[in-house]
Amino acid sequence: MNNFKQICFASVFILLCCLSAVAQRKTVSSPDGKITLNIDLSEAIKWSASYQGKEVISPSAISLVVNKEVLGKKPKLLSETKRKIDERINVDVPRKNKVEHNFCNELRLNFKNYAVSFRAYNEGVAYRFETGFKNGIEVNSEELNVNFNKDSQVFFPEEESMISHYERSYVDTALVSLSSSRFCSLPVLVTSAGVRVLITEADLFDYPNMFLSATGGNSLKSKFPPVVLEAEADPGKPDRNERIVKEAGYIAKISGSRTLPWRVFTMTPDDRVLAESDMVFKLSRPVAIDTKWIKPGKVAWDWWNANNIYGVDFAAGINTATYKYYIDFAAKYGLEYIILDEGWSKTTTDLTEPNPDLNLQELINYGKSKGVGVILWMLWKPLDENMDVLLDKFAQWGAKGIKVDFMQRADQYMVNYYERVAKECAKRHLLVDFHGAFKPAGLHRAYPNFMSNEGVKGAENNKWSKLVTPDHNLMLPFIRQVAGPVDYTPGAMNNANKISFREIFDNPMSMGTRCHQFAMYVVYESPLQMLADNPTHYYKEAESAEFISRIPAVWDETKVLDAKVGEYILVARKKASKWYVGAMTDWTARTMTLDCSFLPRGNYRIEIMQDGINAERNGNDYKKMVQKITNGTKLNLKLASGGGWAAIIEKAD
């Protein structure tokens, strides 16, 4: 009898242990069932993710240290809730689609004083912490150790400091080859078990940016800039660079009860899905302003071409006559804006008075008479010190927006600065373009007047380096652009191959062909899209200028038809009744196929810009063609080395 009791007790004990172990494991899957997110709540909160049964992200610990208390250590689950999210979001300034489908399954786990929410989309997974304290708190750190399968590869946007313009090249290497001293900004792209994992963040407000450090193994771990307590001007460039003098022992001071940023992991073996993904937008908070006044468009930009116009009867430079020339050019080609970059103000630190060599009010009025708005460049610090007065003045002058530059930091104060600029500009119906900036992380959904964002090694680097190659250009749609709008500033009219390219600051050129530049206007997403080259060049290349000027800056629908990270991409986008197609390749010449089955039935006229027969020798060479097609047509696209292909499709009469 005693033996029987012992056996029963042991059986019950084993059963309870098994039930307890099961209770510590939670699962949530994507609506299509391909992605499964597993959560273990034993000694710590650990999660892993698999794609079609294959583990892509191995068990990875997460925690949040608040007032020196570790949230996530030996977690005790109080309750959980599950829900299916299936909503259509109307997008005010659509970079990809006029309507986004927010479709996922969510699991929320509630603990004492905090919760963690996990979401599984068909295109990836995300999680975030939520705090529930009564009083304000200090966040000492947030831990993420994300572990991948062995032999994982990474496109690593390495940083030397968290004080940066975040304009990086992507180091394509084995993850395990990176030492623990190396770290990167976001987004970063890892390939694990044959699946692409794009890591970034969303709904970033009142909290620092996340960076990721290598570990010397197959993992990456989080890194954050501390709160800045004291900064001083850098003697080398005191008007625009800072040195951090004193930092706090915590990364943020926040309200005790709030959500933290989403940690976003786009997961797909299909590079087309990666380039189409808009998880950052879907995970960020809804629009916070009136948007009826916002007008996306294209911009004639002065700085890249150094105001180096010619064939005119006045001295080119930062003066009234030169900018009237830009306005006339913009009006001729239907561009909505011009930018007055550095030099329009009396000094870079005094934004209250224009440069005496130009009549700013006359220019703004002249632009208004021609239907062209004026956007003003400025350094972030002078604006920060006198924001209300300056923005009131810009609005009173009749400016349509501002371009804010040289922020370089990514700490909590600077994140709040971005929101403050966007919010205060919205009150005055001013657009915003951020340069010298970290990547987008959700602000563009809450404040759609935040139109575009640098944080990319773009065309301006052609002025002084050989780093912006077609290979580099073919990484951007799959990495940086997944986070949000990208102000690459395309439109170069002097196009060169590897041998011919030269760095010329005042008369720059691009690497790759003219059609490579054409295609950027379809492939790259920026609701404030630049025409970076000299208006004189555009006048001399009127056919090119006319074609570019007809490509929209926002879209109703996007389809990535063919793609491979770093090598090629073929994109079709719809605006109203027309379709626009762009194809780009790296330094490898290739033939691609455009299957027109995405078109509705009917007859269409397609206007094509394709690489000329001599484009590999002279990048300026292109050929224009017009023909009839239907949705049954398949076109062979021949792209030269560093080449491109672009087309406008409309219903035939």
Side-chain angles (χ1 to χ4, degrees):
M1 190 70 175
N2 287 338
N3 286 341
F4 179 73
K5 286 182 179 179
Q6 288 175 351
I7 291 169
C8 289
F9 178 81
S11 298
V12 170
F13 178 77
I14 292 169
L15 178 61
L16 290 173
C17 288
C18 291
L19 290 173
S20 176
V22 170
Q24 296 302 306
R25 293 186 177 90
K26 307 295 176 182
T27 300
V28 60
S29 296
S30 59
D32 65 5
K34 292 182 179 179
I35 296 175
T36 301
L37 207 164
N38 296 296
I39 303 104
D40 180 8
L41 302 176
S42 50
E43 292 300 308
I45 301 175
K46 291 186 177 181
W47 66 279
S48 61
S50 61
Y51 190 90
Q52 291 188 318
K54 183 188 297 183
E55 189 172 78
V56 176
I57 297 176
S58 304
S60 301
I62 58 174
S63 66
L64 186 70
V65 183
V66 171
N67 296 337
K68 299 184 179 179
E69 176 188 356
V70 182
L71 308 182
K73 184 178 181 180
K74 295 185 177 179
K76 294 182 180 180
L77 183 65
L78 300 179
S79 65
E80 64 180 89
T81 56
K82 288 187 176 182
R83 65 171 177 148
K84 180 179 181 179
I85 299 171
D86 188 357
E87 61 179 358
R88 305 282 174 173
I89 304 170
N90 293 316
V91 185
D92 296 273
V93 180
R95 297 172 301 105
K96 291 180 182 290
N97 301 295
K98 196 172 183 178
V99 178
E100 287 287 0
H101 189 194
N102 190 26
F103 187 38
C104 67
N105 292 317
E106 181 182 83
L107 171 65
R108 177 186 167 92
L109 304 176
N110 300 302
F111 308 92
K112 184 180 179 181
N113 294 326
Y114 73 100
V116 185
S117 293
F118 295 89
R119 286 187 182 179
Y121 288 83
N122 291 342
E123 62 201 284
V125 300
Y127 78 86
R128 72 172 172 190
F129 280 90
E130 182 175 344
T131 57
F133 295 90
K134 290 183 179 179
N135 301 315
I137 55 177
E138 289 181 357
V139 179
N140 305 102
S141 65
E142 182 184 340
E143 177 199 24
L144 163 63
N145 288 296
V146 56
N147 301 311
F148 298 95
N149 288 4
K150 68 176 185 177
D151 303 324
S152 293
Q153 291 288 122
V154 62
F155 290 99
F156 198 71
E158 186 168 13
E159 298 284 356
E160 298 171 0
S161 167
M162 286 188 281
I163 304 295
S164 171
H165 290 292
Y166 313 105
E167 301 176 18
R168 316 311 297 174
S169 297
Y170 296 95
V171 180
D172 182 7
T173 187
L175 181 54
V176 73
S177 72
L178 298 171
S179 71
S180 58
S181 63
R182 301 172 74 174
F183 72 97
C184 70
S185 51
L186 300 179
V188 60
L189 182 62
V190 178
T191 305
S192 175
V195 175
R196 305 288 195 190
V197 181
L198 188 286
I199 308 172
T200 192
E201 56 189 335
D203 205 38
L204 176 66
F205 291 89
D206 193 26
Y207 201 81
N209 278 246
M210 183 170 74
F211 295 74
L212 290 173
S213 293
T215 61
N218 286 298
S219 61
L220 294 166
K221 65 179 182 179
S222 57
K223 178 184 179 74
F224 294 88
V227 165
V228 175
L229 298 177
E230 185 180 345
E232 64 181 13
D234 186 326
K237 290 185 176 180
D239 67 334
R240 62 195 66 198
N241 290 348
E242 281 189 319
R243 282 195 238 173
I244 307 302
V245 176
K246 188 177 180 181
E247 295 177 327
Y250 49 87
I251 64 172
K253 272 191 173 183
I254 60 174
S255 166
S257 182
R258 58 160 287 183
T259 57
L260 271 62
W262 287 100
R263 307 304 170 203
V264 183
F265 304 82
T266 300
M267 286 179 54
T268 177
D270 189 338
D271 290 350
R272 296 173 300 173
V273 175
L274 178 61
E276 286 181 348
S277 175
D278 211 2
M279 283 182 67
V280 171
F281 180 88
K282 289 184 277 193
L283 286 163
S284 295
R285 63 195 58 183
V287 63
I289 61 171
D290 168 60
T291 62
K292 292 189 291 293
W293 60 273
I294 297 174
K295 184 180 180 181
K298 292 184 289 300
V299 187
W301 184 36
D302 57 346
W303 189 83
W304 191 76
N305 57 78
N307 287 312
N308 201 4
I309 62 177
Y310 54 95
V312 295
D313 57 2
F314 55 85
I318 299 174
N319 56 50
T320 304
T322 296
Y323 284 112
K324 281 189 173 182
Y325 183 84
Y326 277 82
I327 290 169
D328 288 340
F329 162 71
K332 177 178 175 61
Y333 287 101
L335 312 183
E336 288 81 359
Y337 304 100
I338 70 163
I339 280 182
L340 272 62
D341 215 285
E342 182 171 0
W344 72 265
S345 57
K346 188 173 182 179
T347 68
T348 55
T349 55
D350 182 3
L351 304 175
T352 61
E353 293 186 46
N355 183 329
D357 292 334
L358 59 79
N359 187 325
L360 181 59
Q361 194 62 66
E362 182 182 345
L363 286 170
I364 290 174
N365 293 342
Y366 185 70
K368 185 177 180 181
S369 74
K370 298 270 189 173
V372 177
V374 173
I375 296 170
L376 302 174
W377 173 94
M378 61 203 61
L379 295 172
W380 80 272
K381 191 70 171 176
L383 179 64
D384 187 36
E385 293 169 345
N386 200 17
M387 189 175 295
D388 287 338
V389 170
L390 289 171
L391 293 181
D392 284 344
K393 187 177 288 289
F394 302 152
Q396 182 184 3
W397 288 344
K400 294 300 181 182
I402 62 174
K403 176 181 174 181
V404 191
D405 207 348
F406 282 88
M407 285 76 73
Q408 301 182 80
R409 288 163 42 186
D411 55 277
Q412 183 185 19
Y413 181 89
M414 191 56 72
V415 171
N416 288 341
Y417 173 79
Y418 281 43
E419 182 179 9
R420 188 157 60 96
V421 170
K423 184 176 182 179
E424 294 303 318
C425 281
K427 290 178 182 177
R428 298 161 176 86
H429 289 192
L430 294 170
L431 306 176
V432 184
D433 181 12
F434 286 112
H435 267 235
F438 55 74
K439 88 286 177 195
L443 188 67
H444 57 291
R445 180 176 177 190
Y447 297 91
N449 63 315
F450 163 27
M451 303 293 281
S452 199
N453 195 108
E454 196 181 24
V456 64
K457 190 177 287 296
E460 67 178 27
N461 286 265
N462 285 316
K463 290 164 71 76
W464 58 77
S465 80
K466 294 182 178 178
L467 297 175
V468 179
T469 63
D471 301 51
H472 170 79
N473 296 339
L474 266 299
M475 293 182 186
L476 302 181
F478 308 95
I479 306 177
R480 166 61 183 81
Q481 188 164 275
V482 180
V486 53
D487 198 5
Y488 176 97
T489 66
M493 291 291 106
N494 188 1
N495 316 110
N497 58 23
K498 288 181 184 179
I499 298 172
S500 304
F501 179 81
R502 299 289 183 274
E503 308 102 302
I504 307 173
F505 192 87
D506 285 347
N507 192 19
M509 60 181 71
S510 72
M511 287 194 191
T513 70
R514 176 74 56 82
C515 289
H516 193 78
Q517 295 289 310
F518 290 156
M520 288 178 180
Y521 286 90
V522 180
V523 174
Y524 291 167
E525 300 165 1
S526 177
L528 205 62
Q529 186 63 278
M530 304 293 156
L531 273 72
D533 214 327
N534 185 337
T536 307
H537 292 169
Y538 289 125
Y539 279 134
K540 289 180 177 293
E541 298 285 351
E543 188 175 66
S544 295
E546 190 272 338
F547 183 81
I548 291 170
S549 69
R550 291 162 52 208
I551 300 176
V554 290
W555 306 99
D556 295 340
E557 186 178 350
T558 291
K559 295 179 180 292
V560 180
L561 304 175
D562 198 4
K564 187 171 183 181
V565 174
E567 296 186 22
Y568 57 85
I569 192 166
L570 174 60
V571 179
R573 300 190 196 261
K574 183 175 183 284
K575 178 65 176 176
S577 62
K578 296 181 183 180
W579 284 86
Y580 302 79
V581 182
M584 297 169 63
T585 184
D586 57 8
W587 282 125
T588 302
R590 68 181 77 245
T591 299
M592 303 178 73
T593 300
L594 174 62
D595 183 340
C596 297
S597 59
F598 62 88
L599 295 170
R601 289 183 179 180
N603 297 315
Y604 295 87
R605 174 186 183 272
I606 184 169
E607 181 180 339
I608 298 168
M609 295 292 200
Q610 65 182 34
D611 290 325
I613 195 168
N614 295 305
E616 292 194 15
R617 297 181 60 192
N618 186 327
N620 298 320
D621 188 29
Y622 72 91
K623 182 179 181 180
K624 179 179 177 179
M625 297 174 58
V626 177
Q627 64 186 76
K628 302 289 186 180
I629 62 169
T630 69
N631 66 353
T633 302
K634 292 184 179 181
L635 297 174
N636 289 324
L637 320 183
K638 292 185 178 180
L639 281 67
S641 171
W645 189 96
I648 300 174
I649 304 172
E650 56 189 319
K651 276 279 193 178
D653 295 334

